[in-house]
Amino acid sequence: MFPKLPLDRWVEAFVDALESGLAPLFNFISFCVEGVVNGIADLFHWIPALVFIVLAAALAYFLGKWKFALFTAVGLLLIDNLGYWDHTVDTLALVLTAALISVVVGVPLGVWCAQSDKVRGALTPLLDFMQTMPAFVYLIPAVTFFGLGVVPGVIASVIFAVPPTIRLTNLGIRQVPGDLVEAADAFGSTRNQKLFKLQIPLAMPSIMAGINQTIMLSLSMVVIASMIGAQGIGADVYGAVTQIKTGQGFEAGLAIVVLAIVLDRMTQNMVKRKRRGSNG
């Protein structure tokens, strides 16, 4: 029998080295992420609930149909009636921040993968690792680097949710018809012109589908993030579980379901509009 590899001690030593060597960087990231989350949350709290609901229903009508707008209005009114509006707004701020960071990081990496087989080959195992590692594991280094609160929840959500954006951006660009790329080359397009005027517009439905999956995965981390101090509906669910309050857990879970359906349908309808636009 071979002796056990001290993998746990190696990982802990690596994390300790990062914590001591990159502390200023982690403090800066924490400051920026917390500022974005608090800024979005303060804006949403500043808007009266009824006005926010009307605006959300109008956006739902613009993106979809009147049935979706009606569901959005009724669902958000139900959340407000149950007393979870403020926590829903906090959760929405966390999810949007995680999704924004995932897009800023994931889309350029997806473009890079599409342009280089070596980069795709190097990133694919890492993305597999990020998607299959249990989400709870990400909380440990996140707390170590950023402490308790909303920031480690956002960082853990980004790590867990960014792979679909990278994968589908790469896939969408690679699926652009080769004859169109050859035509762009024949007309003397530069690499950037070909990317921004041809490949990314045609790949936009795929990119939006990746963003949709990223938002859903970020929302799935809400309850897990509440275990390390992130506020929002997840804290209500976690509190209901620890105190065995079935009714409170159902209400808070229902609020998460409504928010998830609204966000999912909105991003899906954005994809459909992009496809109609590209076909037209």
Side-chain angles (χ1 to χ4, degrees):
M1 253 336 249
F2 293 103
K4 177 183 178 295
L5 289 174
L7 184 59
D8 55 345
R9 294 199 297 271
W10 293 346
V11 173
E12 289 179 1
F14 177 71
V15 170
D16 291 340
L18 288 179
E19 182 184 8
S20 59
L22 299 178
L25 175 61
F26 293 138
N27 291 335
F28 176 74
I29 294 174
S30 179
F31 174 78
C32 294
V33 172
E34 189 172 7
V36 172
V37 174
N38 291 338
I40 295 175
D42 290 342
L43 174 63
F44 288 165
H45 281 295
W46 177 76
I47 302 174
L50 291 179
V51 175
F52 190 101
I53 293 171
V54 170
L55 293 176
L59 179 60
Y61 180 78
F62 174 74
L63 293 174
K65 299 180 179 179
W66 68 269
K67 292 182 180 180
F68 177 43
L70 179 62
F71 173 83
T72 300
V74 173
L76 295 181
L77 284 171
L78 176 62
I79 292 175
D80 187 33
N81 176 262
L82 294 176
Y84 291 100
W85 181 257
D86 289 337
H87 289 181
T88 299
V89 166
D90 292 334
T91 296
L92 183 59
L94 188 151
V95 171
L96 291 181
T97 302
L100 176 63
I101 297 174
S102 298
V103 170
V104 171
V105 173
V107 172
L109 285 177
V111 172
W112 196 14
C113 289
Q115 295 179 338
S116 173
D117 291 335
K118 291 182 179 180
V119 174
R120 183 183 63 169
L123 279 183
T124 297
L126 179 60
L127 296 178
D128 294 338
F129 177 87
M130 292 166 65
Q131 287 188 290
T132 54
M133 176 65 71
F136 288 95
V137 178
Y138 295 131
L139 301 182
I140 303 172
V143 171
T144 301
F145 296 145
F146 302 102
L148 296 175
V150 69
V151 176
V154 171
I155 299 300
S157 298
V158 170
I159 297 173
F160 184 68
V162 73
T165 297
I166 299 175
R167 292 184 186 276
L168 289 176
T169 299
N170 168 54
L171 179 64
I173 293 178
R174 286 181 178 270
Q175 287 182 336
V176 173
D179 55 348
L180 295 180
V181 177
E182 292 175 0
D185 291 332
F187 280 102
S189 299
T190 64
R191 185 176 183 179
N192 288 336
Q193 288 175 333
K194 184 170 61 177
L195 176 64
F196 289 104
K197 294 185 178 181
L198 173 66
Q199 292 174 312
I200 288 182
L202 291 180
M204 190 57 68
S206 179
I207 295 173
M208 291 299 300
I211 294 174
N212 170 268
Q213 293 303 307
T214 291
I215 292 175
M216 293 299 101
L217 290 174
S218 298
L219 193 54
S220 71
M221 287 287 291
V222 165
V223 178
I224 298 176
S226 68
M227 300 175 63
I228 53 175
Q231 299 301 312
I233 311 177
D236 296 305
V237 176
Y238 183 63
V241 171
T242 56
Q243 301 174 32
I244 318 180
K245 293 184 177 180
T246 307
Q248 176 183 329
F250 179 81
E251 288 182 347
L254 182 62
I256 293 178
V257 169
V258 170
L259 183 60
I261 292 175
V262 170
L263 292 176
D264 177 62
R265 296 299 184 271
M266 282 188 176
T267 50
Q268 281 190 10
N269 287 330
M270 288 180 185
V271 174
K272 293 177 181 178
R273 288 180 65 87
K274 289 291 183 182
R275 285 176 178 166
R276 288 197 296 265
S278 60
N279 292 334

